[in-house]
Each structure stands twice: as C-alpha cells, then as structure tokens.
Amino acid sequence: MYTLYNRRKITAALAAFALAGTTAGAQQAFNSLSFGVELGTTGVGVELAMPLVTDHMVFKLGFNAPSLSYGFSTTMPMDQVNATVDNINAQLQQLGLPEHIDTRMPDMELSLRPVLNLSTAKLMLEYYPFRKSSFHITAGAYFGMGDNFLSATLSADRAAWDSYTALRAEVDRLNAAYGEVDGYSEYSIGDIRYSLGDRSFEIAEQDGTGSFDAEILVRRVRPYLGLGFGRSVPKGHFGFQFDVGVWYHGAPVLSSSNEVAYDPSAEVLLDDISLLDELVLYPQVSLRLIYKIF
C-alpha cells in the first residue's frame, strides 16, 4: 500500500520531470535561428524565424518590398470636342462673321501607370502538425507601411494637351469678341471628364500637361492565413519553402483629388465600381530560400 510519503515522492518526481522537460523544450525553442529570402505576390522580402515553445511552432518576422509598377497607354477620342468646333464654325459662317477655327483635336493618348505598394512588415506563427512532414499552417498579420495599396497616375500626351488648351483659349476669345452679336450663341470647350460608376473625375493641368491621380486605400493591419510546405528552420543549413494564403484588408476605397461633382455628360469608363466592395482579400503565393544560421 502506498503511504502518504510515497505519494508525495511520486508527485515530486513527476513535477521535477515535467519541469525538466519544459526547460529542455524552452532551451530547444530558442537554440535555432534562420534567415529567408522571399519572392512572391507580396513582393521581395526577408524574414527571420525561430522555434517557439516546441519545434512544432515557429515564430517569424519579416519585411516585404518594393512596389510593383506597370505602365500602359490608352486613347481618349476627341470627337465631341471637334463636333463643338464644327458647330462654332457653322454659326460664324451663318452670321457672316469673318473668323473660323481651323484646329481639330487629335485623339489624346493617355499614359497610365498603376503602382502596387507592397511595403509591409509581418508577424507570423507557423504550426507543423506532423513531426515528419514539413506541411504547416500559418497565421499572423501583415502591417502596411501606409493605407495606400494601389495608386495610379494618368497623363495626357503634351502635344494633344497643348492643342486642347489652345483651342479652349481660341473659343473663349471668340465668345468675348462676338458674344454681343445678335444670333451668336456662346460655346465652351469643357473640361475632360469621365465617370466611374456614380462618381466623376476630370483631367487637370499639372506641370504643363493633363494629369489625373487616384489611390485605392485599404486597412493597414491585414490578418493572414495560409498553408505550405517546407521548414522555416530547416534541418540542414539550407532549405526551400512554398506558401499560399490570403490576407484580409477590408473593402478598398477609391480616393482622388481630381474628383468633381457627378457629371452625367462625362464619358463613362466603368458603369459600376461596386466590385471594389468584394475585393477584400489579396492572394499570397511565395517561394523562399532559407539559410539556417544556427
């Protein structure tokens, strides 16, 4: 029969064994450190990783950059502007006035350069459920360096913009000269405007040419969940890791200093931009080369 003394000895032994195991696990948890270089949809990045509590859990911190940019061009037709010029000339001829406008606007070439801002810091925790497998589940968060996730600059070609501004000045001069003549109706070459859904924007002059700037804003804190294969702390000195996942950044918001009051006559680029409300996730696919420091 066990005496109270024997039970105390067994309890003390088990406690000592558990403490020793915990201490050994803690020592094992922080006796490795690795460095990784990443390439993926979140840009180019670097990270540090170390085991945490047990070798089934790995803590990682890192930084991703730089931004990605791609430029392309589109054409904005000037048919409406040229139709206004034809109407002015017809009126001048009908009234027997000596002047007319020779200028016709060529289609305006617009250069668009969107920039995807991928500058983020990250904190991650990896869980390896199987001792002999490198399969892992990752949870954590990305922290944006700003809420500007996507920005775009639209610029008009200088030659077409010069013609456009010269034509506007010429029409204003004719209106001033003949505005008091009976039968003359004043015309205007309006601002170049276009609509996205129920919002209107205009191209404004900047640095001698037409320009438009817009931003897509998202949350700075972006929770992440993913899975992959490969160890952040490899058994040898080198290792590879592949991960897929998504971060959540909330519904994007379109912002622009070029926005004006809604103009129903503006050229429609997109009928509906409510799709932005659905784009709350950003995919992450990455490949890492890892070096185990110790």
Side-chain angles (χ1 to χ4, degrees), residues 59 168 223 278:
F59 172 75
R168 292 186 66 178
E278 309 299 325

Side-chain angles (χ1 to χ4, degrees), residues 106-270:
D107 290 343
M108 186 174 290
E109 295 294 326
L110 300 174
S111 299
L112 179 63
R113 178 166 292 277
V115 178
L116 187 62
N117 180 15
L118 296 174
S119 296
T120 52
K122 62 181 179 181
L123 293 175
M124 300 289 170
L125 189 64
E126 287 181 345
Y127 173 60
Y128 294 80
F130 312 112
R131 180 174 297 276
K132 295 184 179 181
S133 174
S134 65
F135 171 78
H136 55 269
I137 301 169
T138 306
Y142 285 83
F143 303 90
M145 298 296 103
D147 51 9
N148 173 9
F149 182 57
L150 178 66
S151 61
T153 300
L154 186 72
S155 301
D157 68 284
R158 189 173 294 271
W161 186 259
D162 288 344
S163 297
Y164 169 74
T165 53
L167 183 58
R168 292 186 66 178
E170 189 171 1
V171 171
D172 290 342
R173 181 183 61 80
L174 290 175
N175 288 335
Y178 301 118
E180 303 299 325
V181 174
D182 290 340
Y184 181 85
S185 298
E186 292 190 358
Y187 286 88
S188 66
I189 304 297
D191 296 321
I192 299 177
R193 292 182 175 177
Y194 49 90
S195 292
L196 300 171
D198 58 356
R199 301 171 66 181
S200 295
F201 306 84
E202 70 178 18
I203 298 179
E205 184 162 331
Q206 181 177 339
D207 298 327
T209 189
S211 180
F212 165 76
D213 296 306
E215 297 177 331
I216 298 293
L217 309 178
V218 299
R219 298 177 182 176
R220 291 196 181 193
V221 180
R222 305 160 193 173
Y224 172 83
L225 182 64
L227 52 85
F229 292 89
R231 296 186 181 276
S232 290
V233 182
K235 296 183 180 300
H237 278 297
F238 290 94
F240 292 93
Q241 192 175 50
F242 174 76
D243 276 86
V244 295
V246 292
W247 78 37
Y248 174 82
H249 54 222
V253 176
L254 175 62
S255 175
S256 174
S257 60
N258 294 74
E259 185 169 4
V260 296
Y262 178 69
D263 184 355
S265 64
E267 181 177 355
V268 178
L269 294 184
L270 285 175

Side-chain angles (χ1 to χ4, degrees), residues 17-32:
F17 177 78
L19 179 61
T22 302
T23 304
Q27 291 175 346
Q28 181 184 12
F30 299 101
N31 67 355
S32 294

